[in-house]
Amino acid sequence: MVRGAMRSAALRLAGNTLRSRTSSSSAPPSSLPLSSGTTEERREEVPACPTLNGRNGPKHRPSSLTTWAVAAKSGWQRRCPSVLSVSPSPRTVSPLAMAVRRPWRGSAVPSSPAARYSQRPCALPVRWAAAAASRAAFLLLLLVAAAGRAGVSAAGVPAAGVPEVHSLRGSWRLGNGNGSVVLRGEVPGCVHTALHRAGLIQDPYYRFNDVMYRWISLDNWTYSRTFRTPFDFRKWQKVNLVFEGVDTVAQILINNVTLGRTDNMFNRYGFDITSVIKEVNFIEVHFLSAISYAAEQNRCHKGYNIPPACPPPVQKGECHANFIRKEQCSFSWDWGPSFPTQGIWKDVRIEAYNHYHLIYFSLTSFFVKSTQKWRLEIEAIFDVVSSKPVVGLVTVNIPKLQTQQTFNVTLQPGEGSIVLLVNINKSFAVEAWWPNGHGKQTGYNMTTTFIMEAGYQIEKFSKIWQDFMFACALYPTDQNYLESVGAEVTHQVRRLKSHPSIILWSGNNENEAAIASNWFSIPYADRGVYIKDYVMLYVKNIREIVLAEDKSRPFVASSPTNGLESVKEGWVSQNPYDTHYGDTHFYDYSIDCWNWAAYPKTRFASEYGFQSWPSFSTIKKVSSTEDWSYTSNFSLHRQHHENGNDQMLQQIGYHFKLPQSTDPIKKFKDMIYLTQYLFMCLLTKVMQAQCVKTETEFYRFSQSEIIKGEGHTMGALYWQLNDIWQAPSWASLEYGGKWKLLHYFAQNFFAPLLPVAYEDKGVLYIYGVSDLHVDHKLTLRVIVYTWSSLEPVCILSKGGVTVKAQSAVPIYKESINDFLERCQNCTRKSCVVTFCLMGEDGLQSPTNHHFLSSLKDAVGLKKTQLSASVSQQDDIYIFDLHTTAITPFVSLDVGSIKGRFSENGFLMTEKKKVVMFYPWEPTSIEELEESLTLTSLVDTV
C-alpha cells in the first residue's frame, strides 16, 4: 500500500531500520543576489528522518515520493540524518567566481566482517545487499543550503549568472467557473483550504463533507493576481516564470498571453516571459477539473481499457485517477477521502538572469574497488542564454582531506550539464558518517568554484527507498503521457538524488503484483498488452531515465518484486510475493494475528499492518453525538476498507472480550480503545498492537535463520505512519500527530536490544535480538506473575547469555509444562511471563512479555483501583500512577492537549509507575488533570 500520506514508518532491518514517506519535498533553494564584496552568513536546517516509523491481493493506495533510510550488512551505508544546521564562516566574495560549497560526508570501507555488520540500523534484503556489496560504501552528502553571491559591473548591469528572484507567494484572487464564487486564496494553497479559511465551507473533514463538497472538485477554478516587477527587466537577457508545483491541469497566462499548459502535479514548469513582462503584470492560472480531465483522457484512450476504472464503492471516490499525473490518493484510497484539489501547491516566482543560470546541482559519491579510492561525481545543470559558449575553470576543494582538483569547462548555449569526477586523496582515511546512535557523524566541507568568463559566485553548503507516484493500477503509455512522466522523473531525480537517505528508486507500488495476480480480471488472451505497457512505462522509460540521471543507486521496477528473478521472467513474475526473493507485502485479516506461524518467512517484509480507529478525542472533532456508535452511518462512511470494521471485531474477538456496556457512547469509546493498541515490547490492549507486535517480532527473530530456503528476514516495515484524516486506518499517528499505542510500542519492538518469546509445539523459546555493533554477555531475567497478584510467583535468572551483534539467537528453551511446574500454582490461564536482558554499564533491553493464553480466558484478572497524580518539572509533566492489581494495557489520554507520553499501553506489574508527558503546546497541571482519562483492559469488560 503506498500512500500520499507518509508511507509507513518503521523500517526494521535486522534491528533498527526505518522507512519514511514524504509526499513532497521543498523546491531547490533559489540563489540570493548580493553585491560584490558583501559578507553573508546563512544557517539552515534540514528536516530529520524520523527515528521510528514505519495483502495478498489488491490494496488500494497511491504511491508517493518516498524516502527510505536503509543500509546493508555488506557495507553499503546511507544515513538517516538528524536535523542538521551549518553555519559557514563569513567571507568576502569576488564577483569573478561562482562557488559551490558543500559539507561532504563519507564512510570508511569496513576492514572486517564485524565492522561491516555494524554499518546499520537499516539493512537490505539479500538481493539488495549483494548489489550494495558491489559498491562498498558511500560518501554521504547532505545538501543543506544554497546562496548566490554576485557583483554588479561598472556599467550597472547585473553580473552574469546571478539571478534576480521575486516570489509571487501570498494572496491571489480565486474564482469559480461562472464567477458566482470569488474570494482570496493563499499561494501556495488549494481551493478547498481557501474556501474553508474564508468561511464559505465547513471543515471538509466534518462528518460527510467529503461527499457534500464534491462540487468543488467538479468546478473549474482560476487563480489570478496583479504584480509589479521589482527590478528593471530590460537589463536581463532572460526572465522566467517558474512554478514549482501546479495541481494539476491548468492554462498559464500573463498579460493576456498564453504561456503554456500544465498536466503534471509532480513536475516543475518554467515559462520564458522575457518578451511579455511589463512593469505591471496580470497573471492567470485557469484550472480544469481533475475529475473531468481524467474522464476525458480515459474516453480518448482507444483500443483497450486501462483498469481500474473506478475505486471500490466503499471508498466513495472518483474515477480514472490513473489517467492524470496527480497524487493518486486525492481521488480516494482505503485510508483517505476523495478531495481532487486544484491549486498552486508550491512556490511560484520570477527569475531573471544573464548569460547562464544554475538549475540543478548534485553530488554523488562512489568507492572504486580497483583503486581503493573514493570518487565524487559533481553535476551542474545550467541554462545558458549566451549566444556563444562560456568557458572557465572549476576548482573543487576539500581541505580536511587535502583534496583539490581544477578542471577546464565549457558551457554550451542552451540547457546542458557539467560533470566533474573528483578523486579523494588516498592518503587520508575517510571517516564514516553513522546514523544516530551508531557512531560519530563526520562532515567535510567542500567548495566547488566556477571561475567563468562573465563571472559570479554561488555557494552551496552540504555538509529512503523512493517510490515514484504509481500504485495499485495500470497506466496508459501514449506518447503525451510518457513525455509528461519523463519530465517528471527527470525533475524528481535531479531534485532528490543528493539526499543520502534515498537508498534505491522504485518504479511503482504493487503494479507487478496487480498484473501477476490479475487484480482487474483481465482475460488471459489480453494479458500481453498490459505487460507490454508495464515494460514500456517502468523499464524502457522510467528506469532508463533514472539510471542515466543517477548512477549511484539501483532501480527496482516495483514493490513487491522478485528482483532479478522478475527480470528473468520479463519483468512480471508469476508470483511477486515469492518469499525466496526480494520483498513481500502481507495482509491477511482472517488469520489469528497472535499466531506467528501465519506470517511469511520472507527476505524483506516491506509492508504489513492492521487497522485501528483513532482516539475518541480525535473522532469527536468531526462528528456529532448520533455518530458515536460502531455501526452508525458515520462509522460506516469513514471506513474505506471493505469489511474493515468487521475484521477488527473479528481480531478482537480471538483474544479479548468485546465491550459489554449498555451505554452506547461508552461502548463506542471502549471499542475504539480496543482497536487502538499495537505491538511491541509490552503488549497493548488490543488487536492492532498485539497483531503488529507479534508479526514484527517474528520478522526480527527470523533474521538469522534460513529454513527450507526461507527466512533471513533483513527488513520489516509496517504500514502506515500517519493519518491524513480522522478515520480508521493502519496508521500509528493520528490526524494531528497524536500517538496511537502502536507508535508507543514501536519504541520498544524496534529497540536495538530486545528479547522475543514464542511457542512452538509446546516449547517456549526466547530469542535475543541485537542491532548492536558488538557481542554482549547478558543476563536473561524472567519474572512470572499470576493475574491476581502483584507479587511474582517465580523469578528465573540465566547469566552468561551471549547475544551476538547484528543477529537473533536463541537464548532460552523449555517446555511449557516444565516451565509451569517450575513456577508453582501457575497455569496457562492464570499467569503471565515478563522478561528482559541486562548487561554491564546500564545496558538493558525493554521488558517484554508473553501471554500464555488469550486474555479473554485469563483467570484472576480483576477490576483495579487505578489512579494518577500530576506534577511538573520544568517543561515536563510527571504522572505518578498507582494500581492495586496487575493491570494490562494501561492507556493514558489527555484528550485534545497536544503532546506525547514517554510510554503508553503498558502492562503494569508494580504498584507504582512514573510516566512523563512532553507537551507540544502550553498547558498546566490543572488542565492535564481535568483532561486525563486512565483506561485499561479490565475497564472495557
Side-chain angles (χ1 to χ4, degrees):
M1 260 184 211
V2 178
R3 342 297 177 170
M6 295 190 73
R7 175 176 182 170
S8 159
L11 171 57
R12 158 52 75 229
L13 285 166
N16 209 16
T17 44
L18 140 148
R19 180 179 186 177
S20 86
R21 216 166 244 236
T22 56
S23 59
S24 63
S25 299
S26 59
S30 303
S31 301
L32 304 178
L34 299 175
S35 300
S36 175
T38 58
T39 301
E40 181 198 27
E41 181 172 287
R42 287 173 61 84
R43 181 180 181 89
E44 303 248 355
E45 290 188 340
V46 172
C49 296
T51 54
L52 289 172
N53 317 48
R55 71 213 125 196
N56 294 337
K59 300 183 309 311
H60 300 282
R61 67 140 189 248
S63 117
S64 83
L65 290 170
T66 306
T67 302
W68 275 47
V70 196
K73 276 191 174 181
S74 63
W76 189 16
Q77 171 185 312
R78 283 187 179 271
R79 172 184 173 264
C80 179
S82 301
V83 173
L84 300 181
S85 56
V86 175
S87 294
S89 300
R91 56 178 292 189
T92 300
V93 180
S94 164
L96 300 178
M98 178 181 71
V100 181
R101 175 178 181 154
R102 14 177 84 211
W104 171 72
R105 310 195 183 281
S107 20
V109 180
S111 58
S112 67
R116 290 198 299 270
Y117 287 179
S118 66
Q119 290 196 26
R120 287 186 293 154
C122 312
L124 292 174
V126 174
R127 79 177 197 288
W128 292 335
S134 69
R135 298 177 44 182
F138 276 84
L139 299 178
L140 305 183
L141 305 157
L142 196 60
L143 178 62
V144 174
R149 307 184 177 194
V152 178
S153 69
V157 178
V162 182
E164 180 80 51
V165 180
H166 174 63
S167 177
L168 296 180
R169 287 172 172 258
S171 181
W172 289 49
R173 182 184 184 273
L174 175 60
N176 71 332
N178 64 12
S180 60
V181 180
V182 178
L183 65 155
R184 305 305 299 178
E186 284 295 310
V187 171
C190 75
V191 173
H192 287 78
T193 54
L195 290 170
H196 186 220
R197 288 171 181 167
L200 298 178
I201 63 173
Q202 292 179 312
D203 181 351
Y205 287 165
Y206 183 71
R207 300 197 76 204
F208 308 97
N209 281 347
D210 56 315
V211 174
M212 298 297 293
Y213 292 156
R214 185 170 179 260
W215 62 270
I216 299 172
S217 299
L218 290 169
D219 209 336
N220 302 319
W221 297 81
T222 295
Y223 281 79
S224 61
R225 65 164 289 177
T226 299
F227 71 93
R228 182 177 294 275
T229 307
F231 52 82
D232 187 350
F233 56 86
R234 291 163 295 190
K235 294 183 177 180
W236 299 92
Q237 288 178 296
K238 189 168 185 179
V239 183
N240 274 349
L241 173 63
V242 179
F243 289 86
E244 288 293 340
V246 180
D247 182 13
T248 294
V249 183
Q251 180 186 19
I252 314 295
L253 299 91
I254 189 168
N255 300 328
N256 296 317
V257 176
T258 298
L259 302 176
R261 289 171 170 79
T262 69
D263 63 3
N264 192 318
M265 180 182 180
F266 315 114
N267 206 355
R268 179 170 66 180
Y269 290 91
F271 302 100
D272 187 346
I273 59 172
T274 310
S275 62
V276 296
I277 192 170
K278 302 176 181 179
E279 290 186 6
V280 179
N281 304 275
F282 182 61
I283 184 173
E284 302 166 272
V285 182
H286 296 291
F287 283 95
L288 175 65
S289 164
I291 300 171
S292 301
Y293 174 85
E296 178 64 14
Q297 294 301 303
N298 173 73
R299 187 186 68 80
C300 294
H301 189 275
K302 305 297 183 182
Y304 55 97
N305 295 324
I306 305 293
C310 300
V314 71
Q315 294 181 18
K316 298 93 179 172
E318 303 293 350
C319 298
H320 308 301
N322 49 350
F323 275 90
I324 183 171
R325 292 308 300 142
K326 175 176 171 61
E327 187 178 29
Q328 301 287 274
C329 70
S330 67
F331 277 54
S332 80
W333 218 258
D334 57 3
W335 40 261
S338 175
F339 285 111
T341 52
Q342 299 171 40
I344 303 169
W345 73 289
K346 282 190 171 186
D347 188 37
V348 53
R349 62 184 180 272
I350 304 295
E351 292 182 348
Y353 48 91
N354 289 332
H355 299 293
Y356 53 87
H357 174 51
L358 180 64
I359 303 174
Y360 297 97
F361 181 89
S362 62
L363 190 156
T364 309
S365 54
F366 303 87
F367 182 77
V368 183
K369 284 186 175 181
S370 59
T371 61
Q372 291 293 294
K373 284 185 179 181
W374 283 104
R375 172 177 283 188
L376 304 180
E377 180 181 284
I378 299 169
E379 182 177 19
I381 298 176
F382 291 87
D383 179 20
V384 179
V385 296
S386 172
S387 60
K388 60 181 181 179
V390 178
V391 299
L393 297 175
V394 180
T395 300
V396 180
N397 185 27
I398 308 173
K400 194 173 179 180
L401 296 176
Q402 293 191 14
T403 296
Q404 180 170 309
Q405 286 181 240
T406 300
F407 306 83
N408 292 303
V409 298
T410 301
L411 303 179
Q412 298 293 339
E415 183 174 318
S417 64
I418 296 173
V419 178
L420 309 174
L421 296 177
V422 180
N423 293 313
I424 304 302
N425 191 333
K426 189 176 179 181
S427 61
F428 283 81
V430 177
E431 296 183 19
W433 175 276
W434 292 100
N436 185 29
H438 286 256
K440 296 190 303 180
Q441 293 81 39
T442 302
Y444 298 93
N445 285 326
M446 185 188 81
T447 303
T448 304
T449 305
F450 293 73
I451 304 175
M452 312 304 294
E453 286 178 328
Y456 90 107
Q457 176 163 318
I458 294 178
E459 289 195 348
K460 286 185 181 289
F461 308 103
S462 326
K463 288 285 267 183
I464 291 186
W465 185 308
Q466 183 76 38
D467 280 2
F468 290 99
M469 298 283 281
F470 302 87
C472 304
L474 306 185
Y475 290 86
T477 57
D478 58 87
Q479 191 59 34
N480 290 338
Y481 190 89
L482 291 178
E483 288 177 359
S484 180
V485 169
E488 167 193 336
V489 172
T490 299
H491 168 59
Q492 294 297 345
V493 174
R494 289 176 178 177
R495 183 174 70 89
L496 296 170
K497 68 179 181 180
S498 289
H499 290 263
S501 53
I502 296 175
I503 199 65
L504 62 82
W505 302 98
S506 177
N508 68 74
N509 176 77
E510 297 180 342
N511 294 350
E512 179 185 346
I515 295 176
S517 303
N518 201 13
W519 291 3
F520 308 120
S521 302
I522 297 170
Y524 185 81
D526 298 334
R527 188 170 179 264
V529 174
Y530 296 96
I531 293 177
K532 182 180 177 181
D533 281 355
Y534 180 92
V535 174
M536 174 63 71
L537 179 58
Y538 301 113
V539 181
K540 294 184 178 180
N541 280 270
I542 294 176
R543 179 176 179 270
E544 289 188 8
I545 293 171
V546 170
L547 296 183
E549 291 288 338
D550 183 6
K551 300 177 180 62
S552 68
R553 296 176 179 88
F555 174 89
V556 294
S558 186
S559 172
T561 185
N562 293 340
L564 293 177
E565 183 62 28
S566 288
V567 175
K568 291 177 183 178
E569 296 181 43
W571 297 95
V572 176
S573 64
Q574 289 187 356
N575 178 22
Y577 297 99
D578 192 330
T579 54
H580 297 85
Y581 308 97
D583 63 321
T584 298
H585 296 187
F586 183 80
Y587 295 89
D588 187 342
Y589 309 109
S590 64
I591 64 170
D592 176 356
C593 72
W594 287 28
N595 178 16
W596 60 268
Y599 300 119
K601 271 191 169 295
T602 179
R603 297 295 198 219
F604 183 9
S606 59
E607 212 180 285
Y608 59 93
F610 291 84
Q611 276 198 327
S612 74
W613 277 80
S615 63
F616 183 71
S617 62
T618 297
I619 286 291
K620 185 178 180 181
K621 296 174 184 177
V622 292
S623 60
S624 60
T625 53
E626 63 263 38
D627 300 327
W628 299 341
S629 163
Y630 200 69
T631 56
S632 69
N633 288 336
F634 173 82
S635 294
L636 296 175
H637 178 82
R638 222 65 174 185
Q639 174 58 268
H640 279 200
H641 171 60
E642 192 71 46
N643 299 320
N645 289 348
D646 291 340
Q647 289 167 353
M648 284 187 278
L649 286 176
Q650 178 180 336
Q651 281 296 336
I652 292 168
Y654 285 145
H655 298 288
F656 302 96
K657 294 180 181 178
L658 295 176
Q660 300 300 312
S661 172
T662 56
D663 178 346
I665 294 179
K666 182 179 186 301
K667 186 174 182 179
F668 186 61
K669 289 181 180 179
D670 290 346
M671 184 65 67
I672 288 175
Y673 172 75
L674 273 173
T675 58
Q676 238 177 26
Y677 286 92
L678 223 224
F679 45 93
M680 175 39 203
C681 197
L682 309 165
L683 293 169
T684 140
K685 176 175 189 181
V686 207
M687 189 263 310
Q688 194 193 23
Q690 181 66 31
C691 292
V692 183
K693 176 183 187 297
T694 303
E695 187 167 359
T696 303
E697 291 184 347
F698 167 72
Y699 295 137
R700 290 201 68 183
F701 75 67
S702 297
Q703 67 178 275
S704 299
E705 296 178 340
I706 296 180
I707 300 174
K708 296 181 180 179
E710 295 180 314
H712 196 41
T713 306
M714 296 304 295
L717 169 59
Y718 73 78
W719 174 257
Q720 75 198 82
L721 175 61
N722 62 312
D723 271 333
I724 64 170
W725 74 328
Q726 306 91 333
S729 77
W730 294 257
S732 61
L733 293 177
E734 298 178 7
Y735 180 80
K738 189 172 185 175
W739 288 27
K740 289 185 181 179
L741 295 180
L742 167 56
H743 211 70
Y744 286 105
F745 277 37
Q747 294 181 115
N748 291 326
F749 64 64
F750 280 155
L753 178 65
L754 179 70
V756 175
Y758 74 98
E759 292 182 43
D760 188 21
K761 298 177 181 178
V763 176
L764 175 66
Y765 296 87
I766 298 179
Y767 272 59
V769 181
S770 175
D771 287 341
L772 302 176
H773 296 172
V774 297
D775 297 352
H776 283 276
K777 281 197 173 182
L778 306 169
T779 297
L780 172 66
R781 184 176 173 85
V782 181
I783 303 178
V784 182
Y785 297 89
T786 63
W787 287 114
S788 59
S789 174
L790 289 168
E791 295 298 322
V793 175
C794 63
I795 299 175
L796 311 176
S797 184
K798 181 180 179 181
V801 172
T802 299
V803 177
K804 295 183 177 295
Q806 307 287 311
S807 64
V809 295
I811 56 176
Y812 184 87
K813 175 183 177 182
E814 187 173 11
S815 75
I816 289 293
N817 290 336
D818 291 346
F819 181 83
L820 293 175
E821 273 187 32
R822 183 192 293 251
C823 300
Q824 297 178 1
N825 300 321
C826 254
T827 67
R828 278 186 171 276
K829 295 182 179 181
S830 67
C831 289
V832 59
V833 183
T834 68
F835 46 93
C836 68
L837 288 167
M838 298 179 295
E840 299 177 352
D841 302 323
L843 178 63
Q844 183 170 339
S845 73
T847 299
N848 207 341
H849 52 261
H850 177 69
F851 294 137
L852 296 169
S853 71
S854 296
L855 293 193
K856 67 180 181 181
D857 300 324
V859 174
L861 266 180
K862 55 188 178 182
K863 293 283 185 179
T864 179
Q865 298 296 319
L866 188 61
S867 62
S869 59
V870 186
S871 59
Q872 184 176 1
Q873 182 175 341
D874 298 325
D875 295 330
I876 299 173
Y877 292 87
I878 302 168
F879 285 69
D880 289 293
L881 305 182
H882 300 264
T883 185
T884 57
I886 285 189
T887 313
F889 313 127
V890 176
S891 173
L892 298 90
D893 191 302
V894 288
S896 297
I897 299 175
K898 293 182 179 179
R900 70 170 182 87
F901 291 95
S902 55
E903 56 182 308
N904 215 340
F906 45 82
L907 174 66
M908 194 165 174
T909 58
E910 298 178 336
K911 293 181 180 179
K912 298 179 181 180
K913 185 176 181 65
V914 176
V915 176
M916 307 296 185
F917 180 74
Y918 305 97
W920 300 336
E921 60 184 9
T923 186
S924 65
I925 292 175
E926 294 73 22
E927 189 177 28
L928 288 168
E929 288 178 336
E930 183 178 351
S931 302
L932 175 64
T933 300
L934 269 178
T935 317
S936 73
L937 181 67
V938 296
D939 295 321
T940 67
V941 296

